[in-house]
Amino acid sequence: MPHRPTRRIRRAVLGSGAVVVLAGLNAPAALSFAQDQYHAYKIAQPGYQARYGSWQRVDIPKRYRTNAVHAALLHTGKVLIVAGSGNNQRHFDAGTFDTVLWDPVANTFKKVDTPVDFFCGGHAALPDGRLLVAGGTARYEVLDGEVSRAGGGMRVKNENPDKALFLKKGTVFRSPSGIEYRSLFDVTVPRAAKRGFAVSYYADGGMKPWKSKVTAGEERVFVEAVERGPDSATTDSAQYEIEGLTGTDADNSYGLAEKITTQKQDFQGIRAAYEFDALAEKYIKVDPMKEARWYPTLVGLGDGRVLAVSGLDDVGEIISGDTEIYDRATKKWSKGPFRYFPTYPALFLTKGGRLFYPGANAGYGPADKGRAAGLWDLRKNTFKAVGGLRDLDATETASSLMLPPVQDQKVMILGGGGVGESKVSTARTAIVDLKAKNPVFRAGPDLPQGTRYLNSVIMPDDTVFTTGGSSDYRGRGDSNILRAQTYDPKTGEFIETAAPTIGRNYHSEALLLPDGRVATFGSDSLYGDKANTKLGTFEQRMEVFTPAVLHRAGGDRPVIGAGPGEVERGDTVTYAVTGGGRIATARLMRPSAVTHTTDVEQRSIALEPRRSEGRITVTVPGDSTLVPPGWYMLFVTDTDGISSVAKWVKVG
């Protein structure tokens, strides 16, 4: 009889065979683990960090983790991280809006009551240190194929010159054929304007009695069919009866709609505006904008006012060109010059007060409109195109900034992609000198690869730190780029730095901290795997980059001591500084307010230091278009390129 192994022996044989097989299968994984361990060891070495810098993850308690869509550095040194509903419709539907205040020095966090959904609004610093936040989300998009009720914009008319008309959310508008539509928001329609005039004269020269002309007040509101299905869709112009009105209100009020469809319904904006008080650490309501705006740019002007540009309006259409200006003294908005831009356009205040648009933008607008770079004169409302930029079809999701120092008046654009969900991305960078008689873009060094959503941060030593991004739309196909590099304007080259460990694409931010490090936040990948079969999740981890030069410094950094905390433009002031004789440069750096790769606030102003042992003397430029009023970080950098921790200075 042939020998048969016992059950115990068979198990042993199977077990040993399994070990051999598994060892073979896991060899690549074991090798990868060993490589990762070696890489972690290598990047932790002092020599490596002194050459390339280092990254450190921030320990965030669970209750403070949020979807960072906006980030702004305040003059208290704290960072305001705004999520609003955080691109999460469940949060929106529940009215759960989030803001977190982070103290980078103590690494402490605080929740801030958030009154409206600031998700995808705009922000800019005010001269007193408050942050103006305006616009945001009134309604989430409904994609093609998911629209169950026809919807569109309803223009509501009020011909009564004696009073405004208030209609609550849910007001019903009835078409001539009896189809009913319900408003999704409250709306207040201003009273009609009444103007008297004479139509002719009597033969003896006397004037005939005055007559009056009434111009109806008008406001727009988004409406949705009461009944589901395509039968409520219409493209015919019609006048709609407003249900529930009586007397003069019914006689003088009606709705007008031209197109109510079951097509995709885009995000819709809000008019709300608030100031965030950095000292009280709370939002303070101010007058709303005239236009609802989602994806707007807010840019500070030389006189301390703030211009709001572009965005999607209250029915989800891109604003045709209406802009408005916020006055910090009156807390009110006034009409600005008419100019069309795609959403989140990058607009930089230049010497003389014109705004430069490098073509960089984020999000919405046709491919053939508002994409050309140029200088916009607000007073004359003229736009002078600036040519020379290649890859004009890839300026969406590009990064851009005013190269340091601002006195050089050079603007750089980096990377970018095609319009919408295009797979196109570019490695192109380009620089324009706005002091030239006829400015034109010149090619800069290429990025390592085509990059969308790159974040770029001006550093105290006049270099530009760039990090993250993805090669495809919203990181599609696992295309996040785990690389960072520093651009040196003096050599015109990129220098490799330590690579981040967290990928950053759409809805990510990076900003300079007062201690000279760079904090990075957010990222909103569309998918969570290379095959694009799993939905992505919002990246809530934070990571901070420490430049190589700070590792080389050890504890030997310049220190700014006593000196004025408030100055006027044109003032000459003196600060105590350790190692004053070794100080090479002094810079006033405006704190960032960044979202969607767009940061029009950051700028670096050169102050030529007069050095002596123990102190420096500097003169603040007198031009408010170079140094807009507000709070700045004063950095000094020594002859070894090592910067101080910033001193906060208010420029009046």
Side-chain angles (χ1 to χ4, degrees):
M1 175 181 283
H3 172 72
R4 300 182 64 183
T6 65
R7 181 175 296 178
R8 179 178 295 178
I9 294 173
R10 286 201 300 269
R11 285 180 177 170
V13 170
L14 287 171
S16 61
V19 169
V20 172
V21 171
L22 288 174
L25 290 174
N26 287 335
L31 179 61
S32 176
F33 176 76
Q35 290 172 335
D36 288 346
Q37 291 292 96
Y38 174 71
H39 178 71
Y41 167 79
K42 182 178 73 171
I43 66 175
Q45 299 310 299
Y48 179 93
Q49 294 179 346
R51 181 175 179 184
Y52 297 106
S54 67
W55 290 87
Q56 181 180 13
R57 294 187 186 178
V58 176
D59 182 22
I60 309 173
K62 186 174 181 179
R63 71 179 299 258
Y64 297 111
R65 296 171 194 168
T66 193
N67 294 355
V69 179
H70 312 265
L73 178 63
L74 307 174
H75 73 279
T76 58
K78 297 179 181 181
V79 179
L80 191 72
I81 303 168
V82 183
S85 58
N87 204 17
N88 185 317
Q89 185 152 8
R90 287 177 300 175
H91 291 171
F92 177 82
D93 293 341
T96 304
F97 310 138
D98 208 15
T99 300
V100 172
L101 199 59
W102 173 49
D103 183 338
V105 176
N107 195 35
T108 56
F109 298 84
K110 175 183 176 180
K111 288 270 191 178
V112 176
D113 288 339
T114 308
V116 296
D117 191 3
F118 291 126
F119 170 58
C120 291
H123 29 63
L126 295 170
D128 62 0
R130 297 187 182 195
L131 184 77
L132 177 65
V133 185
T137 304
R139 184 172 184 254
Y140 270 59
E141 67 181 354
V142 186
L143 301 176
D144 279 326
E146 297 179 5
V147 178
S148 61
R149 288 183 170 87
M154 180 73 68
R155 292 159 52 209
V156 188
K157 295 280 192 174
N158 177 18
E159 294 182 347
N160 187 344
D162 297 323
K163 68 172 186 176
L165 175 71
F166 175 72
L167 300 176
K168 292 183 65 175
K169 172 184 175 180
T171 296
V172 171
F173 295 79
R174 187 178 296 106
S175 75
S177 62
I179 299 176
E180 294 183 339
Y181 304 87
R182 184 179 290 115
S183 64
L184 298 191
F185 308 101
D186 293 345
V187 61
T188 299
V189 188
R191 65 185 182 179
K194 188 175 182 179
R195 180 167 67 90
F197 66 99
V199 292
S200 60
Y201 292 84
Y202 291 112
D204 63 1
M207 193 166 60
K208 289 184 178 181
W210 282 71
K211 293 189 176 182
S212 62
K213 180 179 179 180
V214 174
T215 302
E218 180 179 309
E219 197 57 78
R220 190 166 55 173
V221 66
F222 191 84
V223 299
E224 191 174 71
V226 172
E227 300 294 330
R228 296 177 183 270
D231 291 343
S232 299
T234 179
T235 56
D236 296 332
S237 299
Q239 183 168 311
Y240 291 72
E241 176 188 353
I242 304 175
E243 189 177 272
L245 297 185
T246 59
T248 58
D249 286 342
D251 294 338
N252 289 299
S253 308
Y254 53 92
L256 291 175
E258 297 177 355
K259 185 172 68 171
I260 298 179
T261 74
T262 55
Q263 297 171 358
K264 177 187 181 233
Q265 297 168 358
D266 275 314
F267 282 94
Q268 295 164 18
I270 59 176
R271 295 176 173 81
Y274 285 75
E275 291 181 359
F276 184 80
D277 188 323
L279 299 177
E281 298 184 344
K282 66 179 182 180
Y283 290 104
I284 299 171
K285 188 176 183 179
V286 297
D287 268 16
M289 297 179 290
K290 171 64 177 174
E291 294 285 342
R293 298 182 189 272
W294 187 86
Y295 264 48
T297 290
L298 270 60
V299 55
L301 304 177
D303 58 6
R305 297 181 301 162
V306 175
L307 176 70
V309 176
S310 193
L312 298 187
D313 63 17
D314 51 357
V315 297
E317 295 178 358
I318 188 166
I319 293 170
S320 61
D322 287 323
T323 72
E324 46 200 308
I325 298 175
Y326 180 74
D327 188 324
R328 60 194 168 94
T330 64
K331 313 293 187 188
K332 295 182 182 297
W333 298 84
S334 61
K335 190 175 181 62
F338 189 87
R339 181 67 52 184
Y340 172 88
F341 292 98
T343 57
Y344 277 139
L347 295 168
F348 298 101
L349 179 66
T350 69
K351 184 176 174 61
R354 293 184 295 177
L355 296 179
F356 180 68
Y357 171 56
N361 62 89
Y364 291 74
D368 59 352
K369 186 178 180 183
R371 304 284 172 170
L375 276 161
W376 180 21
D377 188 319
L378 299 179
R379 289 187 291 269
K380 299 177 181 177
N381 196 20
T382 57
F383 189 85
K384 182 180 179 182
V386 170
L389 185 64
R390 68 178 175 91
D391 293 349
L392 282 171
D393 62 341
T395 57
E396 195 164 284
T397 65
S399 178
S400 57
L401 71 155
M402 294 197 78
L403 286 173
V406 72
Q407 286 95 330
D408 287 351
Q409 293 289 282
K410 292 181 179 179
V411 176
M412 187 176 193
I413 183 171
L414 305 94
V419 173
E421 298 185 17
S422 167
K423 292 183 68 67
V424 171
S425 63
T426 179
R428 172 263 295 124
T429 75
I431 300 167
V432 59
D433 183 353
L434 298 177
K435 292 192 298 184
K437 184 177 181 180
N438 293 300
V440 63
F441 275 101
R442 306 290 183 189
D446 278 356
L447 294 164
Q449 66 189 95
T451 308
R452 307 176 67 132
Y453 316 106
L454 185 72
N455 276 288
S456 302
V457 179
I458 302 171
M459 303 300 287
D461 63 358
D462 286 352
T463 60
V464 178
F465 177 70
T466 69
T467 180
S470 63
S471 60
D472 199 350
Y473 172 77
R474 287 186 62 180
R476 192 166 47 192
D478 193 23
S479 61
N480 282 346
I481 299 168
L482 292 173
R483 301 186 68 152
Q485 49 277 318
T486 295
Y487 173 72
D488 187 342
K490 293 177 183 175
T491 64
E493 296 177 344
F494 281 110
I495 302 167
E496 180 185 0
T497 66
T501 64
I502 299 171
R504 308 283 183 194
N505 56 69
Y506 182 55
H507 287 152
S508 67
E509 306 84 42
L511 54 76
L512 178 69
L513 297 174
D515 62 8
R517 299 179 301 159
V518 175
T520 62
F521 318 81
S523 191
D524 196 359
S525 295
L526 189 60
Y527 297 105
D529 64 335
K530 191 175 184 64
N532 299 329
T533 60
K534 300 177 182 178
L535 289 178
T537 57
F538 206 109
E539 177 59 72
Q540 294 187 334
R541 293 174 295 174
M542 290 166 49
E543 198 169 22
V544 175
F545 174 73
T546 300
V549 68
L550 296 186
H551 283 287
R552 295 197 295 271
D556 186 21
R557 298 178 67 176
V559 176
I560 304 175
E566 295 190 23
V567 300
E568 298 292 329
R569 284 181 297 274
D571 282 356
T572 297
V573 291
T574 298
Y575 293 92
V577 177
T578 59
R582 295 188 295 110
I583 299 303
T585 64
R587 296 289 184 263
L588 281 178
M589 301 189 70
R590 194 167 176 88
S592 287
V594 58
T595 184
H596 294 73
T597 70
T598 305
D599 184 357
V600 300
E601 287 290 283
Q602 66 169 341
R603 63 175 51 209
S604 177
I605 299 110
L607 307 177
E608 298 303 328
R610 297 195 292 277
R611 295 168 289 271
S612 61
E613 193 56 43
R615 64 182 183 177
I616 60 165
T617 300
V618 296
T619 300
V620 180
D623 189 338
S624 65
T625 61
L626 292 179
V627 194
W631 284 89
Y632 289 81
M633 293 179 285
L634 173 63
F635 284 96
V636 295
T637 302
D638 69 16
T639 51
D640 293 324
I642 300 168
S643 70
S644 66
V645 172
K647 178 182 179 67
W648 285 98
V649 177
K650 185 181 181 183
V651 179

